[in-house]
Amino acid sequence: MKKYNVCMVGIGAVGTEIVRLLRKRNFPLAQLTAFATRERTEMIDDLPVDVKVATGPESFKGYDFAFFAGTEGAKGASKTLGWGAAEVGCCVVDNGDDFRMDPKVPLCIPEINPDALKNHQNFIANPNCSTAIALMPLYALHREAKIKRIVCCTYQAVSGSGGAAIRELENQVRAWAAGQPIVHEVYPAQIAFNVIAQIGSEAKDLPGYTSEEAKLGRETRKILGDDSIRVASTCVRVPVVNGHSMALHVEFHHPLSPERAREILSTTAGVQVVDDLSKSVFPTPLDASGKYDALVGRIRPDTSVENGLSLFVSGDNIWKGAAQNAIQIAEKMIELGLK
Ligand SMILES: NC(=O)c1ccc[n+]([C@@H]2O[C@H](COP(=O)([O-])OP(=O)(O)OC[C@H]3O[C@@H](n4cnc5c(N)ncnc54)[C@H](OP(=O)(O)O)[C@@H]3O)[C@@H](O)[C@H]2O)c1
């Protein structure tokens, strides 16, 4: 079996899980290199990982795949290094937002739109974490009854903001328990024992919404290949370490009963139905953490609209929302003979 040279750019919350999952999934690895902003050796589960600094396209020569998990924006890793890596033949799988809506960049969830990978130009985008988790149950229901409109309220973990945010929540909880002043730097308000109704900055193209809320709509339309789907969302940061959850209220073109939805979802790849209200069985972010599947429950009619269905989903934002989906993209490309 062929083995692949892999590198990753960024070894924070997502990069660390990429290393763990490459090992856990027995990815056919020949060589693994990590790039970040400074050289050092990082210990991941007692195994040393050498971290280097990438200087330009030449740093990516000889690599088959590069998982980008650095910071976003003009000076971020993907904008400065991504296309250079692609041009020297390395297939970039980018976790950030910089190129997701670029028409020449496939935005892919392998269970949903693997065909998007065909005709790739060595640059693939991984969706936003909330979009990836929400679409795991929704794509199968869309195929059955065609989605008209989604109202989505998220409950997003601090790990979605990277390693510094996890430390901020932990430090605030310790300070609270010790009766000390609570300091916040990563978030605009205290996150311990609080919720924050702002994720990202103000959206340029959607007045009144945040950038995270805008991503949910446009990425859903691109991945499902349906520009007619309307999405309204409120994205909220909650004091959960890992695992994003969301309440989804979905209006379909055609009728879809909760029983039929449960039947479909029980055979949907990447989804696990966890749904028995009489026994207080429903998804939680703690249960979803460290699982490949998105957990779905609280499946019930949305009686406020015709053909409406409500559901609650929890998923591991660092796994399916980032590292796992990125690796699945590489695995799918190998399976399809695209690399
Ligand atoms: N966390 C999530 O749930 C999630 C989900 C989906 C997508 N994403 C996206 O994934 C990316 C990484 O997120 P994260 O949460 O892992 O962030 P993080 O914990 O803050 O880690 C960022 C890593 O990127 C490295 N880095 C930053 N700028 C770089 C550059 N110009 N060149 C090379 N390396 C650079 C940093 O290097 P040093 O270690 O040397 O400082 C660090 O290792 C972001 O684009 C984020 O939006 C995150």
Side-chain angles (χ1 to χ4, degrees):
M1 189 188 188
K2 186 177 169 192
K3 295 202 168 187
Y4 297 84
N5 291 329
V6 173
C7 62
M8 28 193 292
V9 183
I11 186 116
V14 173
T16 301
E17 289 308 310
I18 289 175
V19 176
R20 289 203 175 109
L21 287 176
L22 285 167
R23 291 177 185 144
K24 187 176 161 69
R25 295 172 73 86
N26 289 323
F27 188 89
L29 263 185
Q31 186 194 335
L32 178 65
T33 305
F35 295 115
T37 61
R38 60 194 165 77
E39 286 193 15
R40 74 253 191 193
T41 301
E42 287 273 345
M43 295 301 288
I44 299 181
D45 302 334
D46 297 332
L47 282 166
V49 175
D50 282 332
V51 182
K52 298 179 185 166
V53 174
T55 48
E58 66 284 354
S59 300
F60 296 89
K61 274 190 184 153
Y63 288 101
D64 299 291
F65 291 103
F67 296 111
F68 271 66
T71 40
E72 296 166 345
K75 292 184 182 154
S78 320
K79 284 223 170 166
T80 53
L81 296 166
W83 284 103
E87 275 157 25
V88 297
C90 174
C91 185
V92 170
V93 184
D94 185 18
N95 278 287
D97 176 52
D98 295 307
F99 299 101
R100 288 184 188 139
M101 298 311 292
D102 186 327
K104 63 180 180 298
V105 173
L107 180 62
C108 180
I109 299 177
E111 293 92 339
I112 302 177
N113 61 338
D115 286 351
L117 297 172
K118 290 175 186 162
N119 305 318
H120 71 90
Q121 295 179 37
N122 268 344
F123 201 116
I124 320 288
N126 218 14
N128 168 261
C129 40
S130 299
T131 313
I133 292 163
L135 289 189
M136 289 312 295
L138 290 185
Y139 83 93
L141 304 180
H142 178 60
R143 282 177 193 168
E144 173 84 3
K146 195 166 170 19
I147 294 173
K148 188 191 274 188
R149 174 172 180 257
I150 303 166
V151 178
C152 174
C153 298
T154 71
Y155 309 82
Q156 297 184 220
V158 296
S159 63
S161 314
I166 300 174
R167 291 189 289 279
E168 178 150 306
L169 173 58
E170 289 171 349
N171 288 340
Q172 288 181 0
V173 171
R174 277 195 206 98
W176 178 87
Q180 310 223 310
I182 290 181
V183 179
H184 63 88
E185 284 168 1
V186 176
Y187 292 120
Q190 175 182 327
I191 183 66
F193 313 106
N194 203 8
V195 298
I196 299 174
Q198 179 186 355
I199 300 186
S201 51
E202 278 186 273
K204 292 189 189 77
D205 51 344
L206 204 58
Y209 281 77
T210 65
S211 51
E212 186 83 354
E213 290 158 355
K215 286 174 198 174
L216 258 166
R218 60 177 185 246
E219 293 182 21
T220 293
R221 289 185 280 274
K222 182 166 177 177
I223 293 165
L224 294 184
D226 187 338
D227 281 339
S228 72
I229 296 174
R230 287 173 287 151
V231 180
S233 57
T234 303
C235 291
V236 179
R237 189 74 64 191
V238 297
V240 164
V241 173
N242 192 49
H244 287 359
S245 302
M246 51 220 65
L248 297 165
H249 305 278
V250 190
E251 186 180 356
F252 294 90
H253 286 274
H254 309 291
L256 180 62
S257 69
E259 294 72 30
R260 177 69 185 133
R262 251 179 236 114
E263 190 181 35
I264 293 165
L265 293 172
S266 65
T267 58
T268 296
V271 171
Q272 194 183 324
V273 178
V274 178
D275 193 20
D276 188 347
L277 190 57
S278 70
K279 297 191 175 109
S280 298
V281 172
F282 39 75
T284 71
L286 270 183
D287 289 337
S289 279
K291 287 208 173 69
Y292 289 140
D293 290 347
L295 309 183
V296 57
R298 298 297 321 280
I299 302 168
R300 62 202 189 276
D302 175 352
T303 51
S304 68
V305 290
E306 206 182 341
N307 301 333
L309 197 77
S310 296
L311 33 137
F312 190 80
V313 187
S314 297
D316 190 321
N317 50 296
I318 302 279
W319 281 23
K320 188 59 190 171
Q324 173 194 332
N325 197 71
I327 295 170
Q328 285 179 295
I329 287 171
E331 290 169 347
K332 184 58 78 177
M333 293 183 76
I334 293 169
E335 181 192 317
L336 296 176
L338 298 170
K339 197 70 194 168

